């Protein structure tokens, strides 16, 4: 028995240790040949300033008085050098950040065995390749690079580790210590002939590590006065250091300067994850070999930082953090770090085309060397019949690419030697071949569109290869069982959406699954009231797809009941707003009452029209006028309401419900009301699930405001759970389509829906009104989606693109389900399904813009004071 126990214990220890051997083995390889640019470098020396923990926005933005916190750096951006954002990667910690900066590669996963404090495997770096390096700063960072250096050419000056005290009265002394020691160093060098001669060598590096900002950020938060004052101190200190260096070297113009940060910091003073406030760091460079500022009239970026920082006129060039290492190596002419995966940002270089081409060629060969060594190592430990070479880069193709690039450089065809044109040339060649093939077969012109359209699409996809690679890498970090389970659920969800086009009750099945969702997450234990609301309204909405198609059983009393429920809900909301606000603006109160009045008028007009038509007395003119006026004002009144999330969304609901009641004939009048209630709960649910992931939400839903402007804290990294959010949106949109009928069939449209507006047959006008009736639930869902994007701190572009991908997957289903045989009904239905799903992606673009307008735009009545107390 004891033997079995010991054996079992041994097996468990083996399996425990196996994960470190399998998953946490260093990807670094050794044995590469050093590569360097064979042309004279522009700089003799490089000065690297690293402000630990510095956020990009806090450095670049202006303070409350419109002044820069870093006037020296801003002057560099405007008059002396180039700038941009350096995009770091997780984990956003000091060690991996500095390794990426100086060695050019990202996190070595085997560092887990060392507690993430140092790299367990030796690696090459810029410091190792330099002739001499002098560094000042934290012992945690400097000693790491000193250990990996060969020879005695690296000199470090560090303060005592006990000085890194978060509770110290003034931690800026960590930075002033560095500046003081550098000044003493250069002063002493004038009286030390040996040191003086070393300082006048080429290929030397000065590294100043400034830890004060990071320490202040942890102790006081990045929004604190201490953090911002530390930035001012660093800026002034750098200005003094530059002056000392230029004076020492007699302004010889052979010094290159780089200022950046290893990582940023969250609003609550932490780092390590992938929030933009942690991954976006400043990058400013000037001096020998660096381009001067470039004035531009317009720049295209997916953010609004340029406008916020008032730097629209100065060209911004973003880079990846690992790209800084090859840039520094190129500037001083040392071999590129052997383990670097960085790509030289040639747009920063102020040099000849020959130098740029040679530098890029060297960069490519250096990365190719790693590939060759890795492949050789893998081949040596793999059985011959099991080894599969990387098909996209066989040895023959490697030689061909290298030979062509070298040939182009010799012929001074520098643009051809740059790899960015290889992809475009390949795509053009494929396009010409396809067109020639179709021409030989005398194909119709439409075939050219079908066959050639994928070429530019795949060109755009392959240009973003790094993004795809990062996405695949992210997926590989997800536990396999979790990923497979998530994938199966996603596929099942897509199939339910497809089947709902044929069987409406599949939507009921999906909503029942939604109702059970809180029980399989932590939502039920953390927020029972929200969970109960979600379950209740999901079950309530699930009843609609089981009801007959709209128009089969008209019931005016259900329409009146829906109106009364809207009025009751309005009174509750109005009471809640009056209690919650210290003061209530007359204008807001009048608007709310006017919208309630429009609902009452809609009920009266609907009932009166129904009675008049039943008595065969026709449509009363007054009813027709009121109906058109309500329709006209329904899209304007929400723009007069406050932009706070809850009030604006409820104002949109009231306005659209007044129109929807006029267009209703039965139970469908209740549908937008129930759908909207579920949407309000969805917004609360998504914020709650976000908090469960440990992401801080600054505001409660009741205090969030819709706004057109964005800042750095409104964006975060994508998570797998965001795919679920996108799927929820698509499901709700399909429910809005088929919740009350099958709009893919012509007989689902009931002309009685438009009798409050007109009774004389007018196909275009009636069709437009019925189309607006269909779109109203869509608009409600899209407005809620705008709120979800805002409260979950995710870029609308990211979520919207995921929605389009899901819609396209559904469209692919229906593409293969299109029939060209059978009855006309079968053929027509299969075509209409495909057209609807394809149109959804187009309509979504329009609805997204409309929802953004309805939620963010604010109109003011002329002649009215801004606020009055009641």
């Amino acid at each position: 028995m004891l033997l079995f126990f010991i054996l079992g214990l041994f097996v468990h220890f083996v399996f425990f240790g196996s994960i470190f051997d399998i998953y946490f083995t260093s990807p670094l390889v050794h044995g590469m040949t050093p590569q360097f640019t064979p042309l004279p470098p522009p700089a003799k020396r490089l000065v690297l300033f690293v402000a630990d923990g510095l956020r990009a926005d806090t450095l670049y933005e202006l303070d409350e008085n419109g002044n820069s916190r870093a006037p020296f750096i801003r002057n560099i951006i405007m008059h002396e050098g180039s700038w941009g954002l350096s995009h770091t990667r997780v984990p956003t910690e000091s060690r991996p950040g500095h390794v990426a900066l100086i060695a050019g590669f990202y996190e070595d996963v085997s560092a887990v065995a060392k507690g993430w404090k140092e790299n367990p495997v030796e690696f090459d770096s810029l410091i190792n390749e330099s002739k001499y390096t002098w560094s000042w700063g934290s012992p945690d960072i400097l000693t790491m690079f000193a250990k990996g250096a060969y020879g005695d050419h690296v000199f470090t000056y560090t303060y005592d580790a006990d000085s890194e005290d978060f509770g110290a009265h003034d931690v800026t002394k960590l930075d002033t210590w560095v500046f003081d020691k550098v000044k003493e160093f250069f002063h002493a060098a004038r009286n030390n002939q040996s040191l003086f001669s070393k300082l006048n060598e080429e290929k030397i590096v000065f590294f100043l590590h400034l830890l004060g900002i990071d320490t202040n950020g942890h102790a006081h938060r990045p929004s604190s006065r201490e953090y911002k004052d530390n930035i001012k101190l660093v800026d002034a200190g750098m200005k003094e250091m530059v002056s000392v260096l230029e004076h020492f070297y007699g302004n010889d113009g052979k010094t290159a300067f780089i200022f950046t940060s290893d990582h940023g910091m969250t609003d609550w003073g932490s780092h390590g994850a992938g929030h933009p406030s942690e991954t976006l760091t400043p990058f400013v460079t000037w001096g020998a070999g660096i381009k001067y500022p470039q004035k531009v009239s317009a720049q295209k970026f997916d953010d609004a930082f340029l406008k916020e920082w008032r730097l629209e006129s100065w060209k911004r060039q973003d880079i990846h953090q690992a790209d800084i290492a090859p840039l520094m190596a190129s500037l001083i002419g040392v071999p590129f770090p052997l383990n670097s995966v960085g790509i030289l940002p040639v747009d920063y270089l102020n040099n000849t085309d020959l130098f740029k081409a040679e530098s890029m060629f060297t960069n490519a060969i250096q990365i190719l060397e790693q590939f060759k060594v890795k492949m050789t190592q893998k081949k040596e430990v793999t059985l011959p019949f099991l080894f599969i070479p990387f098909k996209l880069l066989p040895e023959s193709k490697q030689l061909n690419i290298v030979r062509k690039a070298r040939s182009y450089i010799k012929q001074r065809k520098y643009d051809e030697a740059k790899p960015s044109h290889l992809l475009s040339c390949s795509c053009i060649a494929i396009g010409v071949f396809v067109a020639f093939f179709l021409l030989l077969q005398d194909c119709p012109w439409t075939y050219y569109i079908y066959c050639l359209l994928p070429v530019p699409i795949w060109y755009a996809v392959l240009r973003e290869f790094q993004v795809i690679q990062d996405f695949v890498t992210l997926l590989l970090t997800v536990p396999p069982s979790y990923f497979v389970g998530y994938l199966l659920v996603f596929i099942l969800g897509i199939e339910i959406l497809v089947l709902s086009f044929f069987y409406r009750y599949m939507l009921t099945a999906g909503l029942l699954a939604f109702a059970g969702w809180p029980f399989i997450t932590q939502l039920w234990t953390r927020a029972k009231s929200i969970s109960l609301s979600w379950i209740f309204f999901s079950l309530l909405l699930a009843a609609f797809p089981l009801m007959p198609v709209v128009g089969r059983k008209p019931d005016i009393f259900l329409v009146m009941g829906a109106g009364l429920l809207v009025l009751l809900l309005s009174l509750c909301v109005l009471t809640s707003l009056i209690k919650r606000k210290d003061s209530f603006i007359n204008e807001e109160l009048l608007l709310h009452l006017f919208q309630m009045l429009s609902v009452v008028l809609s009920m009266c007009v609907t009932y009166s029209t129904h009675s008049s038509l039943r008595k065969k007395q026709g449509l009363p003119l007054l009813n027709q006028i009121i109906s058109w006026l309500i329709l006209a004002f329904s899209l304007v009144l929400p723009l007069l309401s406050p932009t706070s999330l809850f009030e604006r969304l409820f104002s949109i609901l009231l306005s659209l419900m007044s129109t929807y009641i006029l267009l209703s004939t039965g139970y469908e009048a209740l549908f937008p009301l129930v759908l909207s209630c579920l949407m309000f709960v969805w917004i609360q649910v998504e914020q709650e699930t976000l908090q469960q992931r440990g992401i801080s939400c600054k505001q409660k839903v009741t205090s969030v405001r819709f706004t057109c402007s964005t800042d750095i804290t409104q964006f975060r990294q994508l998570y797998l759970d965001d795919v679920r959010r996108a799927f929820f949106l698509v499901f709700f949109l399909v429910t809005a389509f088929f919740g009350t009928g099958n709009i893919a069939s012509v007989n689902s449209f009931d002309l009685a829906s438009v009798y409050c507006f007109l009774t004389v047959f007018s196909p275009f006008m009636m069709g437009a009104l019925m189309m607006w009736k269909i779109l109203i639930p869509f608009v409600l869902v899209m407005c809620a989606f705008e709120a979800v994007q805002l409260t979950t701190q995710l870029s609308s572009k990211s979520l919207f693109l995921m929605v389009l991908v899901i819609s396209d997957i559904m469209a692919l289903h229906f593409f293969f389900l299109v029939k060209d045989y059978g009855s006309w009904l079968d053929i027509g239905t299969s075509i209409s399904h495909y057209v609807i799903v394809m149109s959804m992606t187009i309509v979504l673009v329009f609805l997204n813009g409309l929802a953004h307008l309805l939620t963010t735009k604010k109109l003011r009545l002329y002649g009215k004071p801004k606020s009055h107390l009641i």
Side-chain angles (χ1 to χ4, degrees):
M1 192 63 159
L2 179 61
L3 181 61
F4 280 111
F5 174 76
I6 295 173
L7 182 61
L9 199 62
F10 174 74
V11 170
H12 281 80
F13 271 116
V14 170
F15 278 107
F16 173 76
S18 68
I19 65 165
F20 298 99
D21 186 41
I22 296 170
Y23 292 105
F24 299 102
T25 302
S26 176
L28 299 184
V29 292
H30 299 86
M32 290 80 69
T33 304
Q35 304 290 329
F36 60 91
T37 306
L39 297 175
K44 289 184 176 180
R45 65 200 73 91
L46 173 84
V47 183
L48 174 63
F49 298 96
V50 178
D52 205 304
L54 176 60
R55 287 171 50 146
D57 60 335
T58 316
L59 175 76
Y60 290 138
E61 69 186 6
L62 303 179
D63 60 20
E64 55 275 7
N65 298 320
N67 300 320
S68 173
R69 296 189 184 94
F72 173 70
I73 288 297
R74 198 169 184 91
N75 180 70
I76 293 292
I77 292 172
M78 294 180 174
H79 300 103
E80 295 186 39
S82 298
W83 76 286
L85 291 179
S86 169
H87 295 260
T88 69
R89 291 192 187 178
V90 291
T92 45
E93 299 288 351
S94 291
R95 180 191 53 77
H98 281 87
V99 170
L101 280 170
I102 299 173
F105 67 89
Y106 296 104
E107 183 55 83
D108 181 355
V109 293
S110 63
V112 68
K114 296 270 184 169
W116 308 102
K117 289 295 182 184
E118 60 179 81
N119 277 69
V121 179
E122 287 187 358
F123 60 93
D124 192 25
S125 70
L126 176 84
I127 289 176
N128 182 60
E129 296 291 354
S130 67
K131 183 71 175 289
Y132 294 106
T133 292
W134 289 270
S135 55
W136 296 265
S138 168
D140 295 332
I141 300 300
L142 304 190
T143 54
M144 174 176 61
F145 293 101
K147 285 180 183 178
Y150 307 118
D152 57 353
H153 67 286
V154 178
F155 307 95
T156 61
Y157 303 89
T158 65
Y159 39 73
D160 190 66
D162 295 336
S163 301
E164 300 174 16
D165 184 2
F166 294 129
H169 175 67
D170 182 15
V171 297
T172 58
K173 62 184 181 183
L174 300 176
D175 297 336
T176 54
W177 184 94
V178 171
F179 295 140
D180 290 342
K181 291 298 179 182
V182 173
K183 285 188 290 185
E184 293 173 7
F185 172 80
F186 280 100
H187 180 73
R190 295 186 179 278
N191 303 316
N192 186 329
Q193 188 58 42
S194 174
L195 177 59
F196 186 84
S197 61
K198 288 180 180 178
L199 288 174
N200 281 279
E201 293 278 0
E202 296 182 352
K203 303 178 181 180
I204 63 174
V205 174
F206 301 104
F207 173 30
L208 282 69
H209 176 247
L210 307 168
L211 187 61
I213 293 174
D214 182 77
T215 309
N216 262 318
H218 286 302
H220 305 287
R221 308 294 182 266
S223 59
S224 65
R225 179 180 56 82
E226 290 82 358
Y227 185 88
K228 295 174 181 177
D229 285 349
N230 206 151
I231 294 174
K232 295 178 181 178
L233 182 144
V234 166
D235 182 71
M238 286 173 52
K239 181 180 181 180
E240 188 178 10
M241 294 301 98
V242 171
S243 176
V244 168
L245 278 155
E246 296 290 11
H247 179 68
F248 183 86
Y249 288 108
N251 295 303
D252 63 353
K254 291 294 181 178
T255 308
F257 298 91
I258 287 180
F259 173 63
T260 186
S261 175
D262 53 347
H263 56 75
M265 188 170 289
T266 62
D267 290 341
W268 50 96
S270 68
H271 54 82
H275 192 278
S277 60
E278 300 167 88
T279 61
L280 298 184
T281 59
F283 181 74
V284 183
T285 180
W286 68 101
I290 298 296
K291 278 186 179 178
Y292 290 100
Q294 301 173 66
K295 298 291 286 288
V296 291
S297 57
Q299 302 188 66
K300 292 184 179 180
F301 287 95
D302 293 334
D303 51 60
F305 298 148
L306 287 170
K307 187 175 181 181
E308 293 172 13
W309 301 335
R310 298 184 188 175
L311 291 171
E312 306 101 310
S313 301
W314 286 269
K315 186 176 181 181
R316 165 183 155 189
Q317 302 177 70
D318 289 6
I319 60 172
H320 295 287
Q321 193 173 47
D323 299 342
I324 298 174
L327 175 63
M328 294 190 294
S330 176
L331 288 171
I332 59 174
V334 299
F336 286 41
L338 295 175
N339 302 111
S340 171
V341 295
I343 299 174
L344 177 66
V346 288
D347 288 339
Y348 273 95
L349 294 177
N350 181 20
N351 215 314
T352 63
D353 288 340
L354 174 61
F355 183 86
K356 292 178 183 178
E358 286 284 3
S359 298
M360 290 188 69
F361 182 79
T362 302
N363 190 191
I365 296 297
Q366 170 260 318
I367 294 175
L368 183 61
E369 281 287 315
Q370 295 182 72
F371 171 79
K372 289 181 178 178
V373 171
K374 188 70 175 178
M375 185 176 68
T376 302
Q377 291 179 355
K378 189 70 176 177
K379 191 174 182 179
E380 288 174 352
V381 296
T382 307
L383 293 173
F385 61 89
L386 292 178
F387 179 75
I388 302 174
F390 185 55
K391 295 180 180 179
L392 297 180
L393 196 61
E395 189 172 356
S396 59
K397 191 171 183 179
Q398 296 174 29
L399 293 172
N400 188 40
I401 293 173
V402 171
R403 192 182 299 112
K404 279 187 177 180
R406 175 52 65 193
S407 174
Y408 284 138
I409 292 174
K410 286 182 178 179
Q411 297 173 39
R412 299 186 179 183
K413 296 179 179 179
Y414 304 121
D415 289 336
E416 286 81 351
K418 290 174 186 179
S420 57
H421 291 269
L422 183 63
L423 178 62
S424 57
C425 291
S426 301
C427 289
I428 291 171
I430 292 171
V432 171
F433 174 77
V434 171
F436 183 72
F437 181 76
L438 294 173
L439 184 65
L440 289 177
Q441 300 187 85
D442 197 24
C443 294
W445 64 271
T446 53
Y447 282 33
Y448 288 84
I449 298 175
Y450 304 149
C451 295
L452 291 176
L453 190 59
V455 176
I457 292 175
W458 276 107
Y459 172 73
V461 170
L462 293 175
R463 283 194 66 181
E464 302 299 328
F465 176 76
Q466 186 61 48
V467 177
I468 299 170
Q469 191 177 36
D470 293 344
F471 177 71
V472 173
T473 305
L474 176 65
L475 290 181
L476 292 175
T477 62
V478 179
S481 58
Y482 182 74
F483 174 73
V484 171
Y486 210 101
L487 183 63
L488 290 175
V489 171
F490 180 75
I491 294 172
L492 179 63
I494 293 289
E495 294 305 319
I496 288 176
L497 288 174
V498 172
L499 288 172
S500 66
F501 278 66
F502 303 96
Y503 313 103
R504 289 175 58 220
Y505 58 79
M506 293 305 297
L507 292 174
T508 300
L511 287 166
L512 290 176
F514 279 17
W517 175 60
F519 295 108
I520 62 174
T521 63
Q522 297 180 5
L523 190 64
W524 175 255
T525 57
R526 287 175 58 96
K528 279 192 170 57
S529 59
I530 295 176
S531 299
L532 287 172
S533 302
W534 172 264
I535 294 167
F536 175 74
F537 287 113
S538 294
L539 294 175
L540 203 59
L541 192 64
F544 284 92
L546 299 176
M547 295 180 183
V549 175
V550 171
R552 303 288 173 84
K553 294 181 180 180
D555 190 338
I556 193 65
F557 295 106
L558 287 176
V559 180
M560 296 298 103
L564 289 174
L565 286 175
V566 172
L567 290 174
L568 181 62
L569 184 62
S570 299
L571 288 173
C572 294
V573 171
L574 184 60
T575 305
S576 173
L577 288 174
I578 292 174
K579 287 182 179 179
R580 193 174 76 238
K581 289 194 172 186
D582 296 332
S583 60
F584 204 75
I585 302 173
N586 279 335
E587 186 178 310
E588 296 177 18
L589 179 61
L590 288 173
L591 176 63
H592 200 95
L593 293 175
F594 187 78
Q595 289 183 302
M596 291 175 65
L597 177 62
S598 68
V599 174
V600 173
L601 285 173
S602 296
M603 294 170 61
C604 294
V605 167
T606 303
Y607 187 82
S608 172
T609 302
H610 177 80
S611 300
S612 179
L613 293 176
R614 189 175 56 184
K615 296 174 183 178
K616 298 184 178 180
Q617 295 176 353
L619 172 61
L621 179 60
L622 180 61
N623 289 10
Q624 189 176 21
I625 293 172
I626 293 174
S627 298
W628 284 106
L629 286 174
I630 290 173
L631 175 63
F633 282 107
S634 63
L635 291 177
V636 178
L637 291 178
L639 304 181
L640 298 172
S641 64
T643 55
S644 61
L645 187 146
F646 184 78
E647 291 181 67
R648 177 54 67 94
L649 289 181
F650 192 75
S651 178
I652 293 170
L653 172 62
L654 280 181
S655 288
L656 295 182
M657 274 303 298
S658 61
T659 303
Y660 201 84
I661 288 172
L662 293 170
L663 294 167
S664 299
T665 60
Y667 75 87
E668 81 271 19
L670 295 164
F671 180 73
L673 181 60
V674 177
L675 181 65
S676 296
C677 291
L678 184 59
M679 293 298 99
F680 277 110
V681 180
W682 183 33
I683 297 166
Q684 300 266 5
V685 164
E686 292 299 356
Q687 192 181 45
E688 190 64 37
T689 55
L690 197 68
Q691 290 175 337
Q692 290 176 16
R693 290 193 64 93
I695 299 173
S696 173
C697 297
K698 294 182 178 180
Q699 297 173 292
K700 294 181 179 179
V701 172
T702 52
S703 60
V704 173
R705 288 186 173 272
F706 288 109
T707 178
C708 295
S709 60
T710 57
D711 57 49
I712 193 170
T713 58
Q714 286 183 312
F715 301 106
R716 61 172 175 80
Q717 188 183 15
L718 277 175
Y719 296 113
L720 199 57
D721 202 38
D722 294 318
V723 179
R724 177 197 53 77
R725 292 185 175 94
F727 175 78
F728 272 24
L729 172 66
V730 176
F731 190 93
F732 288 136
L733 289 173
V734 174
T735 303
F737 254 90
F738 298 116
T740 58
N742 182 10
I743 69 165
S745 177
V746 177
N747 60 10
S748 293
F749 295 102
D750 182 14
L751 291 178
S753 299
V754 302
Y755 285 169
C756 288
F757 294 89
L758 73 165
T759 53
V760 178
F761 182 69
S762 175
F764 295 107
M765 190 64 69
M766 288 180 167
L769 288 169
M770 287 188 288
M771 185 57 66
W772 180 236
K773 179 184 178 181
I774 293 167
L775 290 178
I776 282 176
F778 269 65
V779 175
L780 293 172
V781 173
M782 289 304 297
C783 288
F785 188 53
E786 280 283 323
V788 168
Q789 295 170 17
L790 187 63
T791 57
T792 56
Q793 306 169 359
L794 186 60
S795 165
S796 59
K797 181 182 177 182
S798 302
L799 270 178
F800 193 66
L801 286 176
M802 284 191 288
V803 169
L804 292 181
V805 169
I806 295 172
S807 301
D808 287 338
I809 293 173
M810 292 173 60
L812 197 60
H813 273 72
F814 288 110
F815 177 81
F816 291 106
L817 292 175
V818 172
K819 294 182 179 180
D820 57 357
Y821 60 87
S823 67
W824 283 111
L825 178 62
D826 293 338
I827 295 173
T829 301
S830 69
I831 294 173
S832 63
H833 285 164
Y834 178 68
V835 170
I836 287 171
V837 178
M838 287 301 295
S839 300
M840 184 185 293
T841 58
I842 301 170
V843 172
L844 277 179
V845 176
F846 162 73
L847 290 177
N848 188 57
L850 178 60
H852 185 74
L853 176 69
L854 287 175
T855 52
T856 60
K857 186 67 176 176
K858 172 68 175 175
L859 297 180
R860 295 191 180 276
L861 294 176
Y862 292 104
K864 294 275 186 181
K866 288 188 176 179
S867 63
H868 297 282
L869 302 180
I870 61 169

